[in-house]
Structures are given as C-alpha cells and as structure tokens.
Amino acid sequence: MPKGADLLIAALENEGVDRIFGIPGEENLDVLEALRKSSIELVLTRHEQAAAFMAATYGRLTGRPGVCLTTLGPGALNLTTAAAYALLGAMPMIMITGQKGVLSSRQAQFQIVDMLAVMKPLTKLSRQIISPATIPTIVREAFRIAEQERPGPVHLELPEDIAAAETEDPGMIPPHPVEIPLASDAALDRAAELIMKAERPLVMLGAAASRPRSSADLAQFVVRSRIPYFTTQMGKGTVPGGTELYMGTAALSERDYVHEAIERADLIITIGHDTVEKPPFIMGAEGPQVIHVGYQPASVEQVYFPQTEVIGDLGPSLRLLADRVAGKLPHAEALLPLRDGILSRIAARATEDRPTPQRLVHDIRQVMPPDGILALDNGMYKIWFARNYRTQVANTLLLDNALATMGAGLPSAIMAALLYPGRRVMAVCGDGGFMMNSQELETAVRLKLDLVVLVIEDRAFGMIRWKQAVDGFSDFGMTFDNPDFVKYAEAYGAKGTRVTAVEALRPALEAAFAGGGVHLVVVPIDYSENQRVLVDELHQRLPVI
C-alpha cells in the first residue's frame, strides 16, 4: 500500500508539477524518497527563502503554482518573507512543510512552531494534513485555491507520521478547467458610455494585467480603442512599451512627467489595478473619473475610489468593451501630443559619460533582446528601471512593487533562466539586496544555468539613505563594506568582472552573455541623479490645472 508521502508526490505529478524547490529535513525523509522515485526534479537551494522566491516566480511567469518544500520550525519559518511576497504580488505557490508526528510525540516540543498560525495571515489557505487518504483531495483543493483569482500562496503541513502511514490508494482527482465569469452587459454598457463621453481618456495597466493569459487581449483593447496608456511598475510589459500609444510608467505616485497626462485626463480606465502596489496616482475630489476593470472588485482606499467597475475575466471582458467603443471615440488620442515630451524628458542624459542610473538602464536595454528577462531586486535603481526601461514583451521586467522585499532578485532570475533557457536572463541587484541571497550563486552554477548577475555597488542601503537625506536627517547607519565580488563569484565557480568605466559596461555584459554560464558583473553607480531628477527637477514641475 502507498504511504502518505507517495500519495503527496503522486498528487503533485497529477497537477503537472515538474520541479520542487527547497531544503528537506528529517521530517521530510519519506517525501524525499517518494520524490526520488518520481518524475519531479528536486531543485536544492541554499536557503528556504530563495526556494520560495523561485516557486513564486514560477507562478508569476506561468500562471500555475510553483512548489517549495522545507522541514519544520526553522526551515518553515524561512518561508514567511516569500509567502508575503507571493500573497501581495498575487503569485500562485504551494508551500509544503514538515512537522513532528501528531499521532504520538517522542521529542516533546523540540523545534515545533505552530506554522498553521504563522502562515494563516500570509496565505490564502494554511492546512495540516492529518490523514493520508485525504491527500489527493487536499492537494487538488490547494492548487485550485492558489490559482483562482486573486492568485497567491497556499501552505500544507505534512507531519512525518502521516507521511509514513500506509493507506489504500484513494485515486487522484483530475484537474479541470474553470472559466472566470465575464463582466455583465450592464457594467460594460455603463463603462462604454463613460468612455465615449470622455474628452481626454487615459488607460492604466496594473499588476493584475500581467497575468500570462490576458496579454493578447489587453494589447488588442489598446489598439482598437486608440486610447493612450501608461502602466504601474508591475504592469510594465503587459502591452509592448514600444507602441506609439505608450505614455510612460508611474514609478512615483505623483509629480513625475507621466503625471502631466494623468492630471489632464478626465477619465482613467484602470485595467488590473491592485492597490497592493504603491499608488501610481493619487485620486482626489477634483480629479478624473475612474473606471476599474479587474478580475475582482476594487479595494476602495483614500487614494483610490473608482466611480464604476467592470468585473470579470480581463481578456474576454476587454474584447466585449472594445466591441462597444472601437471607432466611436473621436477624442481617444487627445492626450497623445504630450507623449513625446514626457518620454524625451524621462530619457534625458541617458548617454552621459557617467555611471548614472539613466546610463545603466540605457546600456542594459541595448544588451537585452525584446524577449530578454530582467529580474530586479529592490533598491533605488528599481525606480529608474520602472521609469526608463522600455518593455516590448509581457513579463520581461520582473520587479516587486507590492512587498518590495530585498533578496528576491537573484532567485527570481534563476527561476526565469530555468524556465526559458534559450532567452537572455539577467538579475539586477544592489550590493545590499544581492548579499541577502548571494549564496544562490552556487545553486545557479550547479544547475549549469546561463545567467548574468549585475551587482550595482554603492556600499550602502541606497534608497533609505536617499530618503534619509530628502527628509533632512543626518547620514547615519546605512553604509557598509563589500567582499571582492569578482573573487566571490569565482569562489562559487562562476565568472566575475568588475567594470570601472561606464563605457565598459555594455561590452562586459555582451561578453558575459556570449561566454555562457553564470557571470557576475559589478558596476559602480552615481546616485547624485536621485536628488537632481527625483527631487529638485520634479518639484519644479507644477501640477497641470
């Protein structure tokens, strides 16, 4: 008869799982043996947090839950940051943790933490398995919950005695497709009427617009309506940024150049906006009307309170909305004349002979092909990439503007390189964020990945240091020293290059990609532009009346 562990792995195979990321412990040994005999690959990582970042990124890129595995207590607790990352970022993921036996106890409270209670506020579901016969049902439900809107993480705890217990095979439950309902005719008609009356309409694409299944329909809505659009940070790439209707990305909440269009709009159609993101614009009593188009109703906030909503499956609902308004919008392109001015000012000084953020973004864009994937960690450079990096293919700029945690950049890039071995993949990390999960260089080398890791070095927690200065505080507590990153990479079996002159960055990156394998490139950064552009220059731009 099969053990509970055998049923767990069979249920995961039934869901199409091909990889599990993690670090097993003694409470997982039966699961590990079942995994050894299965078709599923175990990707051993060097930290549990990184394993969950990889699983979450798998969910983000495919729409199907990634799976990670840890032991009890200390290993399971290391999942919490990545659980919040997946919950706030709407990434489907299954976390499986071990536990001491529940039918009998031979070690008292050693290493035992109530992980169900810990995970409850960080997941869509946190559940302990107490009978091996229920495993196929529980796993099927876990995947269904993780995938359905709004996607997110699910936690399953499998005690070691339940994993070892034998039972009759209850059989697997086959997955079945579940269609998301369409928006109602009344909601579509109401939205269409507002759009046709608008004199200066504008479209905003948010985080939920980046679901893999909806990209084509989003692009068609923009093309058919001819309404200019901007994106949130996590909405970048949902429609190719190279189109003639792209107005920019809201990397800040207000006063940036893209807000010239936002401030003049009399109607903003937000598609897939999730208020878990830092606000892309601030609504007020005198501002434009807002139509919320989403999988789920809007979360009303002080800064976001739409006047009408279109709720349903984004792609098909937008097709129906486009049918109602296409060719009927004489003022569709009213804001388009602002586009050249906005984009030219954002791109200003991008080729100066200094290692400024603008120059780094410019040179990296030249190195990355349209389908190349950039995975950002969190730091000051993220704002510059959000503003300046032009995306042409969906989900090719992976950044986190929800939890906005440091340490996710390298694991996310590893996952992207595993999924898309034929595409260029680059992790972009500050020196602070890189060192939080730098041990995963060994994982990338062991997996024989082709991956470039760019470490931007300022020897400080730069974003907080910048905000410290902007708020008038003394420079204190934000600086540190680094290892020799070239030797550090080489110690892991990777290659390393230090760039000292900005004109050497692009050739170094090209050589790193051409050489294959894992290659770390370290480059200095001149962050004086943070104050000049993001404070002084933008504060001189008065709001448009």
Side-chain angles (χ1 to χ4, degrees), residues 43 92 322 488:
V43 178
Y488 188 78

Side-chain angles (χ1 to χ4, degrees), residues 72 113 151 278 305 391 438:
L72 81 174
V113 175
K278 194 169 184 179
F305 41 91
T391 51
S438 63

Side-chain angles (χ1 to χ4, degrees), residues 261-282:
I262 295 169
E263 290 155 3
R264 290 188 179 180
D266 63 346
L267 176 70
I268 298 178
I269 306 156
T270 67
I271 299 175
H273 181 43
D274 191 332
T275 56
V276 74
E277 277 207 81
K278 194 169 184 179
F281 65 93
I282 306 296

